[in-house]
Amino acid sequence: MMLARPYCAVVVLLLLAGVSRTGEGNSNPGFMARITKKGLEYVQQYVVTTLKEQLSTIRLPDLSGHSKIDLIGWVSYDFHSLKIHRFVLQNWNLNLLPELGIGVFLSNSYMSVGGDWKVNKAFITLDGSFELKANGISISLSLNLDKDQSGRPTASVTECSNSIGHISIHLSGSLSWILNLFHEIIENNIKMVLEEKVCDMVTEFTTSYLELYLRTLPVTTMIDEVASLDYRLVGAPQVTSEGLDIPFKGEFFSQSHPSHVPFEAPSMMLPPQHDRMIYLAVSQYMLNTAIWVYHHAGCMKVVIQNEDLARLYPNMEVELEVSLESEPLLTLTPGNVTLSPVIDIRGLALLPSSSDQRTLFQLRVNTNVSIAIGVNSNRIVGSVTIGSELKFEVKQSNLGNINKKLMESIFSYYTIKTIYSSLNAKLQEGFPLPLPRETSLNSVELQIHKNLLFVGAYFD
Ligand SMILES: *[C@@H]1O[C@H](CO)[C@@H](O)[C@H](O)[C@H]1NC(C)=O
Ligand SMILES: *[C@@H]1O[C@H](CO)[C@@H](O)[C@H](O)[C@H]1NC(C)=O
């Protein structure tokens, strides 16, 4: 009988209640996202399209007033049911203002607004419809990016100004010529109101739409019953002359054992690449937090029972308990991902008289495992490629000489059959990258640098 029993088969389903993970002194990111200028320009196009859709649903206030007209005298007028028919936003200019934010400047935009008018003079009421065109609209605004308490990015408009070049109004309806007599007054009035309104609209859009969109960024992601991934921002997004660098916690944690990894994230330096729209950097630290969590959940423990063992020790039941002597270190060197586990193998005799076990011998096995890394629809995935030979050493034996050769062959067999294949299954699931709703990547390029995986891509 051959049996390898993973210890992690049953894990308590976690309470999803947010585990308080305060008191983290170190705020170095374990994961960074860089959106380059090219990426921001792409995002901007998307924002413009959405902004246009949003603007067409905006309601403008009614405009009313009095005016004195030659020959006729005072009339009161009322423009109502105003609706934006067309808003053409053009000549966008994005300015990266390092340490300040992002400046957006639009010039030569125009809009058309339609609606109804009504004029009262004594007992007479005239009405009709109108079409208004505003040309030469320029808008200048500054966006500030930050993070909120929950670690999500926020965007706010810190400054907005705009001006409108020229407004012309075309009135139709009964006796509209009367109104045309004072269209200049109306045009100036409307221009003032619109100038006030444009920045309100843009600010409103930013706080509602953009904020909601940014809220779709996952801040914690559950990987499986054992591990979750903390993708909260550890700092505000940094504007640089080349784009935007966004620092994420990038740390695996266990919700059932909410203790902290005993090592800290070192500071992170991204390679100076800016050709693609987005770069994502996964640190060696982040990958090692995953190993730490799975190791501490007891997932890296296997029990081997084998008929050869039974033959070797006929009067007792013996099993091999395979675990890790310490967390295996994963190292990223240019071009290579290597896992270097130090494996502890205990030969245990199961005593028939009690539930106790007696340690017969203890072996230490060293090996290096190469892992191939890839990106598969927004997930980082991997697979074991080569394992170096297994180096055995006897740590302790209560049996005198032990049959090392046999142990080696039993263990090597299991390494390939069980351990590598369950490791592969886990690696193939991989883990997700933090991307907001409806964002996917294409033309993905993956590089392995010292201490980090660097993924460059275009937005889809
Ligand atoms: C990476 O792996 C290849 C193939 O295993 C090896 O030839 C090369 O020396 C390794 N590079 C480093 C920096 O370890
Ligand atoms: C693993 O790799 C390290 C560094 O290249 C080397 O010193 C060590 O001997 C290797 N171990 C095994 C078991 O091959």
Side-chain angles (χ1 to χ4, degrees):
M1 183 191 64
M2 296 180 176
L3 180 69
R5 190 169 72 230
Y7 267 34
C8 220
V10 188
V11 181
V12 200
L13 242 200
L14 328 156
L15 296 170
L16 275 172
V19 179
S20 165
R21 293 160 49 71
T22 48
E24 297 142 78
N26 186 326
S27 60
N28 280 335
F31 180 94
M32 292 267 278
R34 167 179 289 163
I35 303 174
T36 62
K37 235 176 191 165
K38 204 183 266 179
L40 287 170
E41 273 155 15
Y42 179 86
V43 171
Q44 172 189 299
Q45 280 176 25
Y46 174 81
V47 170
V48 172
T49 312
T50 321
L51 184 56
K52 275 185 195 160
E53 286 164 13
Q54 298 282 309
L55 288 177
S56 60
T57 67
I58 273 186
R59 275 192 62 87
L60 292 169
D62 293 355
L63 307 168
S64 52
H66 305 274
S67 208
K68 195 176 179 199
I69 307 170
D70 291 349
L71 304 174
I72 297 174
W74 285 94
V75 297
S76 62
Y77 61 86
D78 176 37
F79 286 77
H80 58 97
S81 312
L82 271 66
K83 216 174 156 338
I84 297 176
H85 288 164
R86 205 152 174 243
F87 203 150
V88 178
L89 299 161
Q90 53 189 13
N91 300 343
W92 283 74
N93 217 326
L94 203 72
N95 274 325
L96 293 167
L97 312 166
E99 318 211 339
L100 288 177
I102 296 175
V104 182
F105 184 71
L106 294 96
S107 60
N108 212 14
S109 296
Y110 60 93
M111 74 194 286
S112 66
V113 176
D116 298 323
W117 61 265
K118 203 164 68 186
V119 161
N120 291 309
K121 169 70 189 174
F123 304 108
I124 307 161
T125 300
L126 304 173
D127 57 19
S129 60
F130 72 92
E131 186 75 28
L132 171 155
K133 287 193 170 62
N135 293 313
I137 303 176
S138 48
I139 307 172
S140 161
L141 62 115
S142 306
L143 277 179
N144 180 47
L145 300 166
D146 207 339
K147 72 172 183 79
D148 67 10
Q149 289 272 311
S150 65
R152 285 193 171 85
T154 58
S156 55
V157 175
T158 48
E159 261 179 62
C160 180
S161 60
N162 76 91
S163 64
I164 295 174
H166 178 250
I167 282 198
S168 63
I169 191 161
H170 178 78
L171 299 151
S172 48
S174 56
L175 300 173
S176 56
W177 61 269
I178 295 179
L179 269 187
N180 277 323
L181 291 176
F182 60 107
H183 68 94
E184 246 176 61
I185 296 167
I186 296 170
E187 280 160 8
N188 284 335
N189 190 340
I190 290 182
K191 187 173 150 189
M192 260 165 55
V193 172
L194 278 183
E195 274 176 344
E196 271 173 33
K197 199 70 191 154
V198 166
C199 274
D200 287 354
M201 291 191 299
V202 172
T203 308
E204 158 96 25
F205 168 79
T206 311
T207 42
S208 61
Y209 187 83
L210 209 56
E211 198 84 45
L212 278 180
Y213 178 71
L214 292 173
R215 289 211 152 266
T216 65
L217 197 73
V219 283
T220 47
T221 303
M222 193 160 164
I223 305 296
D224 53 25
E225 314 84 56
V226 177
S228 293
L229 186 42
D230 185 344
Y231 271 140
R232 288 175 303 171
L233 263 59
V234 292
Q238 295 299 308
V239 178
T240 69
S241 55
E242 305 279 3
L244 201 58
D245 283 351
I246 309 162
F248 294 82
K249 183 90 195 157
E251 186 183 295
F252 284 83
F253 66 97
S254 151
Q255 300 205 43
S256 50
H257 303 83
S259 58
H260 251 290
V261 291
F263 40 94
E264 302 221 313
S267 65
M268 213 168 164
M269 279 283 290
L270 268 54
Q273 294 179 25
H274 304 96
D275 304 336
R276 305 216 163 199
M277 291 180 176
I278 183 169
Y279 289 93
L280 300 164
V282 182
S283 67
Q284 178 173 296
Y285 164 84
M286 172 168 151
L287 301 174
N288 276 316
T289 64
I291 294 175
W292 191 85
V293 168
Y294 285 102
H295 180 222
H296 279 255
C299 298
M300 296 184 177
K301 216 174 194 187
V302 175
V303 172
I304 296 173
Q305 294 173 332
N306 178 286
E307 57 195 6
D308 293 328
L309 284 172
R311 217 174 299 128
L312 203 59
Y313 305 104
N315 19 2
M316 44 186 162
E317 206 177 320
V318 171
E319 60 182 31
L320 297 182
E321 191 186 276
V322 181
S323 61
L324 295 166
E325 202 175 271
S326 55
E327 285 84 42
L329 257 173
L330 188 137
T331 33
L332 302 174
T333 48
N336 293 327
V337 179
T338 314
L339 191 63
S340 314
V342 182
I343 301 160
D344 179 77
I345 303 177
R346 254 165 235 259
L348 296 172
L350 309 176
L351 304 178
S353 54
S354 70
S355 59
D356 276 355
Q357 298 172 328
R358 195 157 67 88
T359 302
L360 300 176
F361 56 84
Q362 212 179 340
L363 306 174
R364 179 188 285 134
V365 184
N366 275 279
T367 188
N368 288 328
V369 181
S370 271
I371 297 174
I373 301 285
V375 180
N376 178 359
S377 73
N378 304 349
R379 296 178 81 84
I380 298 268
V381 295
S383 64
V384 171
T385 51
I386 333 154
S388 73
E389 78 181 280
L390 305 168
K391 286 189 186 143
F392 283 79
E393 133 193 16
V394 179
K395 259 163 91 179
Q396 177 207 347
S397 170
N398 300 327
L399 289 178
N401 263 350
I402 67 161
N403 190 335
K404 197 166 149 228
K405 269 240 131 35
L406 179 63
M407 292 303 153
E408 279 182 24
S409 74
I410 293 173
F411 184 68
S412 300
Y413 175 80
Y414 273 101
T415 307
I416 313 278
K417 188 168 165 66
T418 309
I419 301 175
Y420 282 8
S421 73
S422 68
L423 186 58
N424 258 337
K426 196 71 228 158
L427 288 169
Q428 255 142 50
E429 280 171 36
F431 61 86
L433 295 166
L435 293 170
R437 189 185 65 201
E438 290 162 18
T439 310
S440 54
L441 306 176
N442 75 25
S443 310
V444 177
E445 175 202 31
L446 186 128
Q447 305 161 7
I448 304 168
H449 293 261
K450 185 170 161 53
N451 299 340
L452 59 91
L453 298 176
F454 201 50
V455 177
Y458 290 91
F459 291 122
D460 220 353

